[in-house]
């Protein structure tokens, strides 16, 4: 499942999945007026999962093999924290061994809430912004 709080990023991620894998995987959506849990990949906004019992429906549909959080620095927010906690609890209870993967370009939250704590304090891979600039993959910020 791919979770982000922004529909534009969600649509772009779904498009990239199709570009990279064609029809090898199916995609479904749980946001706005769409509620389809049948795909190999489910694209969802955190606000959609938190409303109308959608998260419980997803958990009941299980197993959830993995969750990819884009803009993972939002996970400490109450709504996202609740989603993470409930999926983690369901994973433990049902023996799913759900994997959690997060991406962000925001190193530090203004409130200093820990993001890495949600991932057992393990960073699998880190790509510093400065390195991205030096290698030409990221454009420097200009204010």
């Amino acid at each position: 499942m791919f979770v982000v709080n922004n529909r534009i990023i969600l649509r772009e991620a779904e498009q990239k999945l199709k570009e990279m894998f064609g029809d090898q995987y199916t995609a479904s959506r749980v946001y706005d007026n769409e509620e389809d849990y049948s795909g190999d990949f489910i694209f969802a906004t955190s606000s959609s999962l938190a409303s109308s019992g959608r998260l419980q429906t997803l958990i009941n549909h299980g197993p959830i093999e993995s969750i990819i959080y884009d803009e993972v620095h939002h996970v400490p927010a109450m709504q996202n924290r609740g989603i993470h906690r409930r999926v983690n609890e369901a994973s433990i209870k049902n023996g799913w061994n759900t994997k959690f993967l997060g991406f962000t370009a925001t190193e530090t939250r203004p409130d200093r809430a820990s993001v890495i704590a949600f991932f057992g304090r393990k960073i699998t891979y880190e790509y510093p912004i400065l390195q991205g600039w030096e290698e030409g993959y990221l454009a420097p910020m200009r204010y």
Side-chain angles (χ1 to χ4, degrees):
M1 178 168 61
F2 187 91
V3 179
V4 68
N5 63 342
N6 180 307
R7 287 177 199 82
I8 294 169
I9 295 172
L10 207 56
R11 287 187 206 107
E12 288 174 354
E14 184 177 352
Q15 184 60 39
K16 290 294 179 192
L17 176 74
K18 289 178 185 175
E19 288 173 14
M20 291 176 63
F21 297 104
D23 294 333
Q24 185 177 353
Y25 300 103
T26 58
S28 58
R29 299 180 186 117
V30 179
Y31 64 95
D32 293 339
N33 295 323
E34 298 190 56
E35 192 170 350
D36 179 5
Y37 303 93
S38 66
D40 297 312
F41 284 89
I42 298 171
F43 292 86
T45 61
S46 49
S47 60
S48 290
L49 287 174
S51 68
S52 305
R54 288 177 163 183
L55 181 58
Q56 189 59 51
T57 301
L58 177 68
I59 289 170
N60 291 345
H61 191 328
I64 301 170
E65 293 182 26
S66 61
I67 294 185
I68 300 169
Y69 295 109
D70 198 353
E71 305 290 334
V72 73
H73 57 276
H74 291 290
V75 169
M78 186 179 299
Q79 184 178 68
N80 295 321
R81 185 174 56 233
I83 291 167
H84 184 87
R85 179 184 50 77
R86 288 188 58 205
V87 170
N88 196 41
E89 288 171 355
S91 175
I92 292 167
K93 178 183 174 187
N94 296 305
W96 295 342
N97 196 26
T98 303
K99 305 293 185 215
F100 296 92
L101 176 65
F103 296 97
T104 187
T106 304
E107 284 188 42
T108 308
R109 288 174 48 98
D111 63 2
R112 299 276 198 226
S114 175
V115 173
I116 194 169
F118 289 88
F119 298 89
R121 302 213 172 277
K122 292 189 293 186
I123 296 177
T124 303
Y125 182 78
E126 185 173 5
Y127 188 73
I129 291 174
L130 185 58
Q131 182 181 346
W133 290 340
E134 290 170 352
E135 294 175 353
Y137 292 111
L138 299 174
M141 294 181 288
R142 290 190 170 82
Y143 294 99

